[in-house]
Amino acid sequence: MTDSGCGFFMSKTGILKLLVLISGCACWALYAASRQYRNPSIKVYAFAAYIISWAVSLLLYFFKITGLHLHIQSECFTFNTFDYFWSWLSCINYIVCSVIVAIFFGNGDPLCGGSGRFCSFAMQLTACVLGFVTAILYAIEAQNMKSYAPVGAGYGTTWRGIWKAIILILGGLAFGLLIKTGYRCGSDCTIARTFVLVAWCVAWGVAALMYLLRLITCPARMSANRQVGFGTFEFFWSAFACLLYLVGAAVLAAFLNCKRFRSTGCREILAADICGWVTAVLFAIDAFCLREHRPVWFVNRRVQSSGGGSRTVTTTTTTERRTRS
């Protein structure tokens, strides 16, 4: 099997990239037909990002099919390495844009006669679903090409790295929408929403810092004991961040101050609360996946004999499972 031409077209990588192109094209085409990309400006960004990711992927596919990629190789950064990184970046890009499209789901211009609302809703909903499907296909493509990743730089494209990125995306959208909507809404309401904002920012900030340390392979350079400590801290922080987002989402739900959700502000604050709940669930799943790094505390009871009789001595021992973080 060759690396270009018909050999690439029939290969697993070629078929995956073709599926990505078909799904991505259908996504932005339906989004364009629904005319939901015009206002606000963040929806324009989502539409442009869809097209840019798809267009570059199409160009890479064209280079592979025609064999032009063989003439633009570099010793320090190969064409396949760039293709691998672009698949990973496009996966994150499509996830972000699809979440934005879902948050700003709204009415469009009449397209199917009458009010046209059903047709517009169907197009926008289909585009949103296809966006998530395309992101999944990009993730599978990146996993299939992970052998081209530079040594030590592949954490971001592993399943755990992508999972962490999704958590950071939704968590950032949660407090970002809260800031955009405004957290000043009366004395008690302002205090409650400020608490939610601080809790979410702290949970997200530390998680983002640990993700950055993973990307630059800092834990891999640590000693064995420190690697165990980093994994343990990561486990505890995922569990603690789950609680912070869970409590924050519950408090924000109590102070939505919206009887109806027809206004943009009420929809945004509701979307922020939903993102908070989902982020809490994702942090809980992340902590469950990191359970092998948790310390194991147990109590040993032994009986010691003495001249006057026997006595029970309780010894608390702390052990940690040393695993590869």
Side-chain angles (χ1 to χ4, degrees):
M1 182 180 297
T2 61
D3 197 31
S4 60
C6 294
F8 174 76
F9 180 78
M10 297 301 296
S11 66
K12 182 179 178 180
T13 304
I15 293 174
L16 277 174
K17 190 170 285 294
L18 183 61
L19 291 176
V20 165
L21 292 174
I22 294 173
S23 179
C25 180
C27 173
W28 63 259
L30 285 172
Y31 193 40
S34 67
R35 300 184 184 181
Q36 292 292 318
Y37 59 88
R38 293 178 293 185
N39 287 311
S41 57
I42 192 170
K43 295 167 70 174
V44 180
Y45 158 77
F47 180 58
Y50 275 151
I51 296 179
I52 290 173
S53 288
W54 179 85
V56 175
S57 296
L58 178 63
L59 184 63
L60 296 176
Y61 184 75
F62 174 76
F63 282 167
K64 278 282 192 177
I65 288 292
T66 58
L68 291 175
H69 70 287
L70 298 174
H71 303 283
I72 53 176
Q73 297 286 357
S74 174
E75 295 182 359
C76 59
F77 200 77
T78 65
F79 181 89
N80 289 327
T81 301
F82 178 78
D83 193 9
Y84 159 80
F85 274 117
W86 188 257
S87 297
W88 172 57
L89 292 174
S90 296
C91 170
I92 303 301
N93 190 35
Y94 262 82
I95 291 175
V96 173
C97 294
S98 299
V99 171
I100 291 173
V101 172
I103 288 175
F104 290 92
F105 193 92
N107 297 334
D109 295 335
L111 296 175
C112 304
S115 64
R117 288 184 177 180
F118 176 77
C119 181
S120 179
F121 284 164
M123 286 183 177
Q124 189 179 3
L125 180 60
T126 306
C128 184
V129 173
L130 284 174
F132 285 111
V133 171
T134 306
I136 294 173
L137 291 174
Y138 267 123
I140 296 174
E141 183 185 16
Q143 285 297 303
N144 186 55
M145 300 181 64
K146 62 183 179 181
S147 60
Y148 297 106
V151 177
Y155 174 78
T157 52
T158 61
W159 290 116
R160 179 164 290 180
I162 293 175
W163 186 262
K164 287 281 191 182
I166 294 174
I167 292 176
L168 294 177
I169 290 169
L170 289 176
L173 283 172
F175 70 79
L177 286 170
L178 180 57
I179 294 174
K180 183 178 182 299
T181 306
Y183 54 91
R184 299 185 181 277
C185 51
S187 58
D188 295 337
C189 180
T190 300
I191 295 174
R193 289 192 179 183
T194 303
F195 163 76
V196 174
L197 182 61
V198 172
W200 285 357
C201 287
V202 170
W204 185 90
V206 177
L209 178 60
M210 290 189 294
Y211 180 74
L212 179 62
L213 292 176
R214 285 287 188 185
L215 285 180
I216 61 179
T217 65
C218 278
R221 302 168 189 166
M222 296 179 180
S223 61
N225 290 332
R226 290 186 178 181
Q227 286 183 15
V228 171
F230 187 88
T232 302
F233 179 77
E234 194 173 15
F235 162 76
F236 275 119
W237 190 258
S238 293
F240 185 61
C242 170
L243 293 177
L244 288 179
Y245 266 91
L246 194 63
V247 172
V251 172
L252 184 60
F255 290 91
L256 289 178
N257 291 344
C258 291
K259 296 181 179 179
R260 297 181 179 181
F261 295 94
R262 294 181 178 178
S263 63
T264 303
C266 285
R267 290 182 179 180
E268 289 179 350
I269 197 68
L270 178 62
D273 196 30
I274 294 174
C275 287
W277 286 109
V278 175
T279 305
V281 173
L282 295 181
F283 266 122
I285 297 175
D286 187 55
F288 178 78
C289 293
L290 291 169
R291 66 188 184 280
E292 61 185 12
H293 296 286
R294 70 187 188 277
V296 180
W297 289 288
F298 61 92
V299 176
N300 287 335
R301 295 183 179 273
R302 58 188 177 87
V303 177
Q304 289 184 348
S305 299
S306 60
S310 63
R311 61 189 179 95
T312 302
V313 178
T314 302
T315 305
T316 303
T317 307
T318 303
T319 61
E320 291 179 341
R321 298 178 182 177
R322 298 176 180 265
T323 57
R324 183 172 56 91
S325 56

CSV table of all heavy atoms in Angstrom, one decimal, residues 3 20 27 57 61 66 106 134 138 140 144 192 247 254 261 266 288 318:
chain,number,residue,atom,x,y,z
A,3,ASP,N,1.7,5.5,0.0
A,3,ASP,CA,1.3,6.6,0.8
A,3,ASP,C,0.6,7.7,0.1
A,3,ASP,O,0.3,8.8,0.6
A,3,ASP,CB,2.6,7.2,1.5
A,3,ASP,CG,2.2,8.0,2.7
A,3,ASP,OD1,1.2,7.7,3.4
A,3,ASP,OD2,2.9,9.0,3.0
A,20,VAL,N,-14.4,12.4,7.2
A,20,VAL,CA,-14.3,13.7,7.9
A,20,VAL,C,-14.8,14.8,6.9
A,20,VAL,O,-15.5,15.7,7.3
A,20,VAL,CB,-12.9,13.9,8.4
A,20,VAL,CG1,-12.7,15.4,8.8
A,20,VAL,CG2,-12.6,13.0,9.6
A,27,CYS,N,-22.0,19.6,7.5
A,27,CYS,CA,-22.2,20.4,8.7
A,27,CYS,C,-22.3,21.9,8.4
A,27,CYS,O,-23.3,22.6,8.7
A,27,CYS,CB,-21.1,20.2,9.7
A,27,CYS,SG,-21.1,21.2,11.2
A,57,SER,N,-8.3,20.7,5.8
A,57,SER,CA,-8.3,19.2,5.7
A,57,SER,C,-8.5,18.7,4.2
A,57,SER,O,-7.9,17.7,3.8
A,57,SER,CB,-9.5,18.6,6.5
A,57,SER,OG,-9.2,18.9,7.9
A,61,TYR,N,-5.9,16.5,2.1
A,61,TYR,CA,-6.3,15.3,1.4
A,61,TYR,C,-5.9,15.3,-0.1
A,61,TYR,O,-5.5,14.3,-0.7
A,61,TYR,CB,-7.8,15.2,1.5
A,61,TYR,CG,-8.4,13.9,0.9
A,61,TYR,CD1,-8.3,12.7,1.5
A,61,TYR,CD2,-9.1,14.0,-0.3
A,61,TYR,CE1,-8.9,11.5,1.0
A,61,TYR,CE2,-9.7,12.8,-0.9
A,61,TYR,CZ,-9.5,11.6,-0.3
A,61,TYR,OH,-10.1,10.5,-0.8
A,66,THR,N,-2.6,13.3,-4.7
A,66,THR,CA,-1.8,13.7,-5.8
A,66,THR,C,-0.3,13.4,-5.6
A,66,THR,O,0.5,13.4,-6.5
A,66,THR,CB,-2.0,15.1,-6.2
A,66,THR,OG1,-1.6,16.0,-5.0
A,66,THR,CG2,-3.4,15.4,-6.6
A,106,GLY,N,-31.5,29.4,17.7
A,106,GLY,CA,-32.5,30.3,17.6
A,106,GLY,C,-33.3,30.3,16.3
A,106,GLY,O,-33.0,29.4,15.5
A,134,THR,N,-18.4,15.1,13.3
A,134,THR,CA,-17.2,15.4,12.7
A,134,THR,C,-16.0,15.5,13.7
A,134,THR,O,-14.9,15.0,13.4
A,134,THR,CB,-17.3,16.7,11.9
A,134,THR,OG1,-18.4,16.6,11.0
A,134,THR,CG2,-16.0,17.0,11.1
A,138,TYR,N,-12.7,13.3,13.6
A,138,TYR,CA,-11.3,13.9,13.7
A,138,TYR,C,-10.5,13.3,14.8
A,138,TYR,O,-9.3,13.0,14.7
A,138,TYR,CB,-11.4,15.4,13.9
A,138,TYR,CG,-11.4,16.2,12.7
A,138,TYR,CD1,-12.5,17.1,12.4
A,138,TYR,CD2,-10.4,16.2,11.8
A,138,TYR,CE1,-12.5,17.9,11.3
A,138,TYR,CE2,-10.3,17.0,10.7
A,138,TYR,CZ,-11.4,17.8,10.4
A,138,TYR,OH,-11.4,18.6,9.3
A,140,ILE,N,-10.8,10.2,16.0
A,140,ILE,CA,-10.4,8.8,15.5
A,140,ILE,C,-9.3,8.9,14.5
A,140,ILE,O,-8.3,8.1,14.6
A,140,ILE,CB,-11.6,8.1,14.9
A,140,ILE,CG1,-12.7,7.9,15.9
A,140,ILE,CG2,-11.2,6.8,14.3
A,140,ILE,CD1,-14.0,7.3,15.4
A,144,ASN,N,-5.5,7.4,14.9
A,144,ASN,CA,-5.0,6.5,13.9
A,144,ASN,C,-3.6,7.0,13.4
A,144,ASN,O,-2.8,6.2,12.9
A,144,ASN,CB,-5.9,6.4,12.7
A,144,ASN,CG,-5.5,5.4,11.6
A,144,ASN,OD1,-5.3,4.3,11.9
A,144,ASN,ND2,-5.4,5.9,10.4
A,192,ALA,N,-24.5,35.2,45.5
A,192,ALA,CA,-24.6,33.8,45.0
A,192,ALA,C,-23.9,33.6,43.7
A,192,ALA,O,-23.1,32.7,43.5
A,192,ALA,CB,-26.1,33.4,44.9
A,247,VAL,N,-21.9,22.2,43.0
A,247,VAL,CA,-22.5,23.1,43.9
A,247,VAL,C,-22.7,24.5,43.2
A,247,VAL,O,-23.8,25.1,43.4
A,247,VAL,CB,-21.5,23.4,45.1
A,247,VAL,CG1,-22.0,24.5,46.0
A,247,VAL,CG2,-21.4,22.1,45.9
A,254,ALA,N,-30.7,28.1,41.4
A,254,ALA,CA,-31.6,28.7,42.3
A,254,ALA,C,-31.7,30.2,42.1
A,254,ALA,O,-32.7,30.8,42.6
A,254,ALA,CB,-31.1,28.4,43.7
A,261,PHE,N,-37.8,32.1,29.2
A,261,PHE,CA,-36.5,32.1,28.6
A,261,PHE,C,-36.5,32.5,27.1
A,261,PHE,O,-35.9,32.0,26.2
A,261,PHE,CB,-35.9,30.7,28.7
A,261,PHE,CG,-35.6,30.3,30.1
A,261,PHE,CD1,-36.5,29.5,30.8
A,261,PHE,CD2,-34.4,30.6,30.7
A,261,PHE,CE1,-36.3,29.1,32.1
A,261,PHE,CE2,-34.2,30.3,32.0
A,261,PHE,CZ,-35.1,29.5,32.7
A,266,CYS,N,-31.6,35.4,29.4
A,266,CYS,CA,-32.0,34.2,30.2
A,266,CYS,C,-31.6,32.9,29.5
A,266,CYS,O,-31.2,32.0,30.2
A,266,CYS,CB,-33.6,34.3,30.3
A,266,CYS,SG,-34.2,35.5,31.4
A,288,PHE,N,-13.1,9.2,38.2
A,288,PHE,CA,-13.2,7.7,38.2
A,288,PHE,C,-12.2,7.1,37.4
A,288,PHE,O,-11.6,6.0,37.7
A,288,PHE,CB,-14.6,7.4,37.7
A,288,PHE,CG,-14.9,5.9,37.6
A,288,PHE,CD1,-15.2,5.2,38.7
A,288,PHE,CD2,-14.8,5.2,36.4
A,288,PHE,CE1,-15.4,3.8,38.7
A,288,PHE,CE2,-15.0,3.9,36.3
A,288,PHE,CZ,-15.4,3.2,37.4
A,318,THR,N,0.0,4.3,55.4
A,318,THR,CA,-0.4,4.9,54.1
A,318,THR,C,0.4,4.4,53.0
A,318,THR,O,1.7,4.4,53.1
A,318,THR,CB,-0.3,6.4,54.2
A,318,THR,OG1,-1.1,6.9,55.3
A,318,THR,CG2,-0.8,7.1,52.9
